[in-house]
Amino acid sequence: MNKIIKKIKINGVLIDIIEGDITQEEVDAIVNAANSELMHGGGVAGVIAKKGGPQVQKESNDYVRKFGSVETGNVAVTSGGNLKCKYIIHAVGPIWKGGNKNEEKLLYSAVYNSLKKAEELKLNSIALPAISAGIYGYPIEKAVLIYKKAVFDFVNNNPKFLKDIRFVIYDKSFLTYFVNEFGQL
């Protein structure tokens, strides 16, 4: 059972920090922390693909065949498969390489482009994981600053549709960083 840890409202947009499993969220879209080839083997991507069913990987393969691999910082969209969401927005975050390889800009783009894509699809709600902070090794204390900036910048552009943004965090050790950072808004 997912548990809301923190609620914040900015410019009419609700931002929730939730402890739990992103695949359990009842939202219009969930964001998958994907790789460029949309091969969903490990981490949150593996869980989403498993619970979403084979259709998610099939649609991902079709996407890559049609459009090519997804560049870091960009997103692709598939259906939600067997999940409770309409869509999965596959965001390709950067692999942490010490911080000198444009990781900050790429992570910002992955988060911002996920929100932008949800707005383009006229969605009302979205759930995001801690993109790049898992198996991609991005330090959570640095990543959460970028998540906050991307969300804040997006919300300040007055979205018409997206009014419910959730960060659903599975790793309990990450929660403190989210609560501390987003609590300052």
Side-chain angles (χ1 to χ4, degrees):
M1 185 77 179
N2 289 355
K3 181 171 128 187
I4 297 172
I5 304 297
K6 184 102 181 138
K7 278 184 166 301
I8 306 136
K9 196 163 195 169
I10 305 168
N11 280 3
V13 178
L14 186 63
I15 301 164
D16 288 338
I17 308 302
I18 297 171
E19 176 185 353
D21 177 353
I22 196 167
T23 65
Q24 298 301 310
E25 287 297 301
E26 292 187 31
V27 288
D28 294 333
I30 64 171
V31 175
N32 175 25
N35 57 48
S36 293
E37 298 303 318
L38 302 183
M39 296 303 294
H40 313 304
V44 72
V47 173
I48 289 171
K50 182 178 178 188
K51 291 185 178 181
Q55 176 183 351
V56 173
Q57 188 61 65
K58 181 191 178 309
E59 287 181 37
S60 296
N61 295 344
D62 292 346
Y63 182 96
V64 171
R65 246 190 317 279
K66 186 173 181 180
F67 301 107
S69 60
V70 182
E71 288 184 32
T72 304
N74 287 331
V75 301
V77 180
T78 64
S79 76
N82 298 330
L83 297 173
K84 298 173 185 177
C85 57
K86 293 178 199 163
Y87 300 102
I88 300 170
I89 298 173
H90 304 275
V92 181
I95 296 170
W96 180 255
K97 295 177 179 167
N100 300 317
K101 302 289 184 195
N102 224 11
E103 293 101 313
E104 186 175 320
K105 181 177 180 283
L106 293 167
L107 181 56
Y108 176 93
S109 293
V111 175
Y112 193 89
N113 287 334
S114 296
L115 301 171
K116 189 171 134 193
K117 180 56 77 177
E119 181 71 8
E120 287 168 9
L121 292 168
K122 299 181 176 162
L123 306 181
N124 300 118
S125 57
I126 190 170
L128 299 97
I131 298 169
S132 289
I135 57 178
Y136 276 16
Y138 207 112
I140 189 61
E141 66 277 7
K142 295 180 186 306
V144 77
L145 300 172
I146 297 162
Y147 305 149
K148 181 176 116 176
K149 179 169 177 24
V151 167
F152 195 76
D153 289 351
F154 177 81
V155 167
N156 281 330
N157 281 326
N158 298 309
K160 288 182 178 66
F161 302 100
L162 191 57
K163 299 296 182 186
D164 182 357
I165 300 171
R166 306 173 190 180
F167 280 96
V168 184
I169 310 306
Y170 184 76
D171 187 331
K172 288 181 183 175
S173 68
F174 287 5
L175 280 170
T176 304
Y177 294 102
F178 277 89
V179 170
N180 289 344
E181 199 54 43
F182 280 85
Q184 296 175 25
L185 293 177

